[in-house]
Amino acid sequence: MKGYVDKLYDINSIEIPAEMLETHIDEQQVEAAMQTLGLRYAAESEADTVAEGDTVYAKADKESFPDGRTILVYTGTALPGAEEAAKAVLGKHAGDVIETTLADKKVTLTIAKILRRTPVAVDDALIAKIGVEGVSTVEAYKDHIRAKLQKDQNMEQSKMLVKYIMDEMIAKTTYVYDEAEMEAYVEEQMKLYANDMEEDDMDYDVSEEDMREGIREQTKQEWMVEAFAKSQGVEVDQSAAEEQADQMIEMMQLMGEEVPDRDEMIRMAIQDEYMNTFFDYAGKIIEKKTGGNSNGNN
């Protein structure tokens, strides 16, 4: 598909909405993490009667499970195919026999053991026992959790902002191409996707129109990042791209994968370099907008 950028939009003029630059730590997530900590180090004991949250060890009848395996029924977790069995064992005792359904199969279970996990108190003693470097109190551990949540938010925020900048650049840059040729290219790509889906026995998870628009956007993206990279004085070393493509081809051959055309692999290697230039520049914009570490306003 032939085309090129007529006028590259100024990436530095993109206005990022203020709300996209903000991050907030949900204290409920912090408290949930503390509760999970209590469960992780929970004390285990055998119980007389099955209560919700217990793990039930049971023997199945030989007809249903001839290998005599021990069946574990988790009453605190909704596992697919085990919901009915989880309800059936509630209130039962060791030695009780229950007829129920497990994985769409009628089964008779004899309860052998009931295991109960009792959460421990999350206090300074437990925190010190865990052995997180520099963390020895409950409040320090909460700060540790907040830092992890913040780091995760920063990563997600960075991805979101890069996508926003990319979308703005694609939409506001102008291009020169033949519309009929673009439509023919879209049709060609749609047929390739359809063949791949059929071979993999997969269904589309997006509408046909969204796929068509995605192909158009992808094509414009390639033109845009190439123009952007060149505006930054970046020229890809053709021999380096060929070497990278040959290495990828060799690796794919060793792994038994289908290898694309070499020229296409070289084109992809060059495109990757253009894309990296764009990502690096966008990253610097994001770093500046978010105060240097994508923390935003907390």
Side-chain angles (χ1 to χ4, degrees):
M1 174 65 207
K2 296 179 181 179
Y4 60 90
V5 166
D6 177 43
K7 185 177 181 181
L8 184 68
Y9 189 70
D10 179 9
I11 192 171
N12 296 301
S13 68
I14 293 176
E15 292 290 336
I16 299 176
E19 60 270 19
M20 293 183 70
L21 299 174
E22 298 175 356
T23 60
H24 299 281
I25 299 300
D26 185 350
E27 285 300 315
Q28 290 184 347
Q29 288 184 281
V30 177
E31 292 304 319
M34 300 303 287
Q35 292 177 13
T36 300
L37 189 63
L39 285 170
R40 188 190 308 168
Y41 293 91
E44 293 186 349
S45 61
E46 289 194 34
D48 296 325
T49 305
V50 180
E52 189 167 348
D54 290 345
T55 300
V56 175
Y57 290 71
K59 288 291 184 180
D61 61 286
K62 292 289 186 180
E63 184 176 343
S64 301
F65 292 91
D67 59 4
R69 72 182 70 177
T70 296
I71 304 293
L72 269 61
V73 181
Y74 298 95
T75 62
T77 305
L79 297 178
E83 298 93 342
E84 186 176 327
K87 291 179 181 178
V89 299
L90 290 175
K92 303 301 181 182
H93 307 83
D96 286 353
V97 178
I98 302 103
E99 292 186 358
T100 185
T101 301
L102 194 62
D104 297 325
K105 181 191 297 185
K106 291 293 182 181
V107 61
T108 300
L109 299 177
T110 301
I111 297 178
K113 182 173 70 172
I114 304 163
L115 186 65
R116 182 164 298 163
R117 303 183 78 245
T118 304
V120 297
V122 179
D123 53 20
D124 290 351
L126 177 64
I127 299 302
K129 177 183 175 182
I130 293 171
V132 178
E133 185 176 355
V135 177
S136 58
T137 67
V138 170
E139 286 308 312
Y141 191 81
K142 287 184 177 181
D143 287 341
H144 172 69
I145 295 299
R146 292 185 186 102
K148 289 178 65 177
L149 291 172
Q150 186 66 66
K151 183 178 180 181
D152 291 343
Q153 283 200 27
N154 292 346
M155 290 180 62
E156 291 304 312
Q157 181 192 50
S158 181
K159 292 176 186 177
M160 176 181 66
L161 292 175
V162 167
K163 184 178 186 306
Y164 181 82
I165 293 172
M166 175 71 80
D167 290 346
E168 286 289 285
M169 286 294 291
I170 293 172
K172 294 179 179 179
T173 291
T174 58
Y175 312 88
V176 174
Y177 61 92
D178 184 271
E179 187 62 42
E181 185 179 353
M182 173 66 85
E183 289 306 309
Y185 176 74
V186 170
E187 287 297 328
E188 177 186 355
Q189 293 301 305
M190 287 293 291
K191 289 178 182 177
L192 292 174
Y193 288 153
N195 289 337
D196 289 342
M197 290 290 186
E198 185 176 348
E199 289 178 3
D200 295 335
D201 194 24
M202 296 173 63
D203 295 323
Y204 294 112
D205 56 359
V206 295
S207 69
E208 182 176 325
E209 183 51 41
D210 284 343
M211 287 190 66
R212 291 178 180 276
E213 186 59 29
I215 295 168
R216 297 185 189 98
E217 291 295 295
Q218 177 69 29
T219 305
K220 291 178 181 179
Q221 174 183 291
E222 292 183 2
W223 294 335
M224 185 275 291
V225 295
E226 178 179 355
F228 178 82
K230 290 181 177 179
S231 76
Q232 299 297 308
V234 174
E235 289 292 344
V236 177
D237 186 331
Q238 180 73 22
S239 61
E242 291 177 2
E243 183 178 351
Q244 181 181 342
D246 289 338
Q247 289 174 351
M248 287 297 298
I249 289 172
E250 183 179 0
M251 184 180 299
M252 294 174 75
Q253 289 173 335
L254 289 172
M255 296 178 66
E257 297 180 6
E258 184 177 349
V259 180
D261 179 74
R262 182 174 183 270
D263 288 342
E264 175 62 14
M265 293 290 287
I266 294 171
R267 188 194 70 79
M268 290 170 62
I270 294 172
Q271 190 67 25
D272 283 346
E273 287 300 312
Y274 292 147
M275 192 71 76
N276 289 336
T277 300
F278 180 86
F279 285 153
D280 287 345
Y281 198 97
K284 291 176 183 176
I285 291 176
I286 293 168
E287 186 176 359
K288 183 178 180 180
K289 294 282 188 181
T290 57
N293 58 5
S294 295
N295 280 346
N297 301 317
N298 302 303

